[in-house]
Structure formats: C-alpha cells, structure tokens
Amino acid sequence: MSEKQKDSPNINKNIHPPFVALFYIVIALFLGRFVFVPFVVPQILKTTGLALTFIGFLCGVGAFIEFRKARTTLDPHGSVKNLALNGIYRFTRNPIYLGFLLMVIGFPLNYGFIWGIVIAPLYILTMNRLVIEKEEAYLEKKFKEQYTGYRSRVRRWL
C-alpha cells in the first residue's frame, strides 16, 4: 500500500458527497411530482426554500475559503494536510455537508414539495455512516488531540 493510500479517509471511492446530496434532491423532486400531498405549500415556505438553498451554497463557499486558507484539500478521499478550524468551522465541523442538507430541504421546498424535509433525516444518516464517521476517524488518528479538542468544542452538524 502506498503512503498516499494510508494517509486518507477510508471512504468508498464511489461515494461522492455532492452526488449523495443530488440523489436526495432528485428523490424529493420525484416524490413531489408523483406522490400526492393533501395540502399546498404556501409561498412563504417556497421562498424559505430558496433562501435555504442559497444559505447552503454560502456554507460551501465559506468552507472552500477556509480550506484554501488552511492549504488543505476539499477532496473527501484525499490526504488532509491541515485542519480548517476558523470561519464557518467555528460553528460546524461539516459546513459543506450542512450546506448540502440545506439544499436537500430547500430546493424541493422552493418548488412547493415538502419531501426534502421528509427525507432530510435519511440524508443525514447516509452522510454520517458513509462519509463523516470515516473522515472523523481519519482526522482523529492523524491530528490526535488537536482534532479531539476541536471535536469537543464544535458540533458535527450545527
């Protein structure tokens, strides 16, 4: 096994977090289109959905900026050189995944479908099991007390 393979999270190479989020968004839109719900989503909730989608995007931008400052990788399958601990990372350990969650809820809601809210817990469970737990184990092994201290101060999602 090469050094690069040893220094990366044990995440299945076929799991790509943006595609996981997209999968759940598509499922929510599909359900909204084909499964009847006996009420209409009011315009204020549709607008809230648009706002959530935008806030989710901004979470990703904030994470990208902090990764650049820390000079580390955005690739969940790659080797992390430094921890990103500032900016949005002071509030959540996973701002990109939180941003995707807001999009899973917000995008369908913007179209008048509540299914993003309904399937959001499944998205969280999927990300926790397939990605986040593996990333956390890797970071704890690599950065030891620095990461465990950070982990004790900052919540996983929010």
Side-chain angles (χ1 to χ4, degrees):
M1 199 182 291
S2 74
E3 191 61 36
K4 181 177 176 165
Q5 288 173 321
K6 290 179 186 174
D7 186 25
S8 63
N10 188 24
I11 299 170
N12 183 317
K13 296 291 183 193
N14 296 318
I15 303 294
H16 300 283
F19 293 124
V20 174
L22 184 60
F23 170 77
Y24 281 100
I25 290 169
V26 168
I27 294 295
L29 293 173
F30 179 83
L31 290 170
R33 179 85 168 109
F34 295 108
V35 177
F36 175 73
V37 177
F39 60 87
V40 176
V41 174
Q43 185 59 45
I44 187 73
L45 285 181
K46 290 179 182 180
T47 304
T48 300
L50 182 61
L52 288 174
T53 302
F54 184 68
I55 292 167
F57 175 76
L58 291 179
C59 286
V61 170
F64 175 79
I65 290 168
E66 293 306 318
F67 273 132
R68 287 290 183 195
K69 287 179 184 176
R71 294 191 172 117
T72 194
T73 183
L74 271 166
D75 180 6
H77 304 102
S79 174
V80 175
K81 293 180 182 34
N82 301 298
L83 290 174
L85 305 174
N86 298 312
I88 194 165
Y89 282 92
R90 292 177 297 149
F91 307 105
T92 175
R93 294 195 313 259
N94 297 288
I96 295 172
Y97 305 148
L98 175 62
F100 288 154
L101 173 63
L102 294 175
M103 290 178 193
V104 165
I105 294 169
F107 196 78
L109 196 57
N110 183 51
Y111 283 91
F113 304 139
I114 58 134
W115 292 104
I117 297 167
V118 174
I119 66 171
L122 295 174
Y123 168 78
I124 292 169
L125 181 64
T126 301
M127 290 303 294
N128 281 344
R129 296 278 163 90
L130 297 181
V131 179
I132 295 172
E133 290 172 1
K134 293 171 181 9
E135 284 181 344
E136 289 179 344
Y138 164 72
L139 293 172
E140 190 167 342
K141 183 177 178 182
K142 183 164 183 165
F143 295 102
K144 299 177 181 28
E145 291 85 23
Q146 183 184 12
Y147 182 72
T148 56
Y150 170 69
R151 186 174 172 179
S152 70
R153 290 187 312 275
V154 179
R155 296 177 62 136
R156 179 182 276 176
W157 287 93
L158 226 177

